Amino acid sequence: MKLPVINNRPPEIEMEEFSFQSLYDRIEPVYLDNNATTAIDQSALTEMMKALELDYANPGALHQAGKTAKKLVEDARKNVASFIGCKNDEVVFMGSGSEAINTAIISATSIGHAAYILTCKTEHKATITTAEQMNGYVGYLSVDKEGRFSIDELVAMFEERYRTTCDFSLLSLMIANNETGTIHKNIDKAIELAHKYGALVHLDAVQIAGKKEIKPYIEMGTDYLSISGHKFHASKGVGALYVRTGAPYTALIYGGLQENERRAGTENVPAIVSMGVVAKKYPLFGKKEEQLHRKFIRLLRSRVPSCIINGGDMVGTINVGFQYVHREAMIIKLSQNDVYAGIGSACSLGIKPSHTLEAMNVPPDYIHGSIRFSMSKYTTEQEIDRAVEVIGKVYDELREMGRGIIG
Ligand code: PLP
């Protein structure tokens, strides 16, 4: 995997790190921020470059070159449809996961005079912010300390709907949480309930795609489901929305007749091609990733015994709470030591703690020091070993700096 080498440190810091560097033949960054974005798959890149350079005609053109480009898009649609587990014409290509989520929420709530939207406190901001823009009421399910909603609260909220003036409703839930990797357990029951109460269902599958099978969630009867290419080794700038045949649909972009009149604008053929290539490989996390996940937690717990794991059961996502340190300081120091991790959500930057961890009631002495490490199929055992060593060193340094200020 090729990674950008970000190295603008002054030479004396290089010297300081020499002893650390001598442990390894060559220092390459350890990229553990795959829930933010992943490296592109090499064959996806090759096919994408071909589409960019050679098959660059407009898929809407009537000539042969146009037909070739159109075929690339339709082949990709077929691959993405079988990756999701749906019919080809139930896949609408989008520009991102956020666009897919926006489209689903707007589609499901544009038909009545006011919408009753039920979602969860730990959702991605693409869901929360869009729901807040709609005309109507937004209800937030709370979560337990693992980050899961309760079916009883969901029933109570649907019952509440009849005491409002809203005439249409949607339940929007993420399958796996981007910050903690928590997978909701009762999605099948939630879909059944929603349908019983006359609500449509959207599932945000952006983080689960490429790690676990999506098909079971389609079989549970969801009406909409969103995925994003760059989270599973395709290009950035491409997402897909599953729209169940017959589910209401409102286009967000008007103009040409592309995507069966569901999203105007010339198709981003190279990015769509890349998603088709990766989808065809049907990427899933397996035994190797599971072992690395377990090893990371085991090593980390023995190196930093005071750390806690926040929620999480999806292989590859580990949200670690470090006591009495600040997450930004930790991320920057890790980065200076060539280990890249994430806060969990770009929207939670700054002094305000993550809304997800707040909803899970993560203790105050840990919430500000919570960091997400996320793996991909390219992550190696050597990287896990080195990451834990660096994390331990950085944590000790930060605690030493903070001595006398806190605990
Ligand atoms: N939903 C979840 C759970 C995500 O993690 C993300 C991205 O971080 C999104 C939606 C938005 O996806 P995109 O970056 O493709 O807009």
Side-chain angles (χ1 to χ4, degrees), residues 35 96-98 101 124 174 176 178 204 206-207 228 230-231:
N35 282 15
S96 62
S98 299
I101 292 169
H124 191 271
M174 60 186 3
N178 50 310
D204 172 351
V206 167
Q207 287 297 344
S228 173
H230 73 107
K231 305 287 186 183

Side-chain angles (χ1 to χ4, degrees), residues 294-309 320 322 384-385 388-389 391-393 395-396:
R294 283 216 221 99
K295 181 171 185 187
F296 182 82
I297 294 179
R298 187 166 31 85
L299 291 183
L300 196 64
R301 281 199 164 125
S302 82
R303 180 63 182 79
V304 185
S306 62
C307 75
I308 57 168
I309 308 297
V320 185
F322 295 99
I384 294 300
D385 291 342
V388 174
E389 188 174 337
I391 293 164
K393 171 176 115 90
Y395 180 71
D396 290 346

Side-chain angles (χ1 to χ4, degrees), residues 51-353:
L52 199 59
E53 201 177 14
L54 305 174
D55 299 313
Y56 55 82
N58 190 316
L62 291 179
H63 47 68
Q64 191 51 47
K67 285 185 185 155
T68 305
K70 177 81 179 153
K71 184 168 181 324
L72 290 178
V73 172
E74 294 316 312
D75 286 350
R77 194 185 312 280
K78 209 165 87 193
N79 293 339
V80 171
S82 54
F83 175 63
I84 293 178
C86 64
K87 295 182 227 146
N88 297 356
D89 62 2
E90 290 176 322
V91 172
V92 187
F93 285 121
M94 300 269 148
S96 62
S98 299
E99 186 189 332
I101 292 169
N102 274 253
T103 308
I105 294 176
I106 292 168
S107 293
T109 55
S110 304
I111 48 177
H113 84 277
Y116 185 89
I117 304 172
L118 274 189
T119 187
C120 190
K121 285 184 179 168
T122 55
E123 290 297 311
H124 191 271
K125 292 286 179 183
T127 297
I128 293 177
T129 320
T130 312
E132 297 280 352
Q133 301 303 311
M134 300 298 105
N135 178 28
Y137 170 85
V138 187
Y140 293 98
L141 289 159
S142 53
V143 292
D144 60 18
K145 68 179 185 6
E146 294 297 318
R148 296 198 183 88
F149 67 89
S150 95
I151 283 289
D152 290 347
E153 191 184 13
L154 184 62
V155 172
M157 289 178 99
F158 272 128
E159 287 292 326
E160 171 71 24
R161 184 194 149 202
Y162 293 101
R163 288 192 282 278
T164 71
T165 53
C166 301
D167 61 1
F168 205 79
S169 57
L170 167 75
L171 171 68
S172 186
L173 292 172
M174 60 186 3
I175 301 173
N177 187 276
N178 50 310
E179 294 188 46
T180 61
T182 294
I183 299 175
H184 281 309
K185 284 228 154 72
N186 285 316
I187 288 190
D188 50 346
K189 287 197 192 119
I191 294 174
E192 211 182 300
L193 263 174
H195 287 163
K196 185 180 135 202
Y197 283 93
L200 290 160
V201 179
H202 164 250
L203 296 179
D204 172 351
V206 167
Q207 287 297 344
I208 201 119
K211 294 169 187 142
K212 280 176 87 101
E213 266 198 307
I214 302 171
K215 201 172 168 194
Y217 297 95
I218 299 292
E219 288 167 354
M220 286 173 200
T222 187
D223 301 287
Y224 308 91
L225 181 140
S226 303
I227 62 170
S228 173
H230 73 107
K231 305 287 186 183
F232 58 98
H233 305 291
S235 168
K236 290 164 185 63
V238 62
L241 177 65
Y242 157 77
V243 184
R244 182 185 51 73
T245 305
Y249 188 88
T250 303
L252 303 194
I253 305 170
Y254 295 101
L257 306 179
Q258 290 91 353
E259 290 300 288
N260 229 345
E261 298 183 54
R262 292 181 291 186
R263 184 185 187 258
T266 302
E267 298 88 336
N268 184 353
V269 181
I272 290 171
V273 163
S274 78
M275 183 141 99
V277 171
V278 184
K280 192 171 182 191
K281 294 185 176 182
Y282 212 89
L284 293 177
F285 276 7
K287 272 224 153 51
K288 182 204 125 192
E289 290 78 17
E290 204 176 319
Q291 278 165 1
L292 288 185
H293 181 106
R294 283 216 221 99
K295 181 171 185 187
F296 182 82
I297 294 179
R298 187 166 31 85
L299 291 183
L300 196 64
R301 281 199 164 125
S302 82
R303 180 63 182 79
V304 185
S306 62
C307 75
I308 57 168
I309 308 297
N310 299 317
D313 47 11
M314 181 169 68
V315 168
T317 305
I318 304 157
N319 191 303
V320 185
F322 295 99
Q323 198 179 26
Y324 301 135
V325 294
H326 207 276
R327 57 193 178 171
E328 271 92 1
M330 184 117 182
I331 298 269
I332 291 164
K333 270 201 147 281
L334 288 174
S335 166
Q336 287 166 347
N337 285 275
D338 298 304
V339 172
Y340 300 155
I343 285 176
S345 161
C347 327
S348 68
L349 276 174
I351 50 163
K352 214 176 148 358

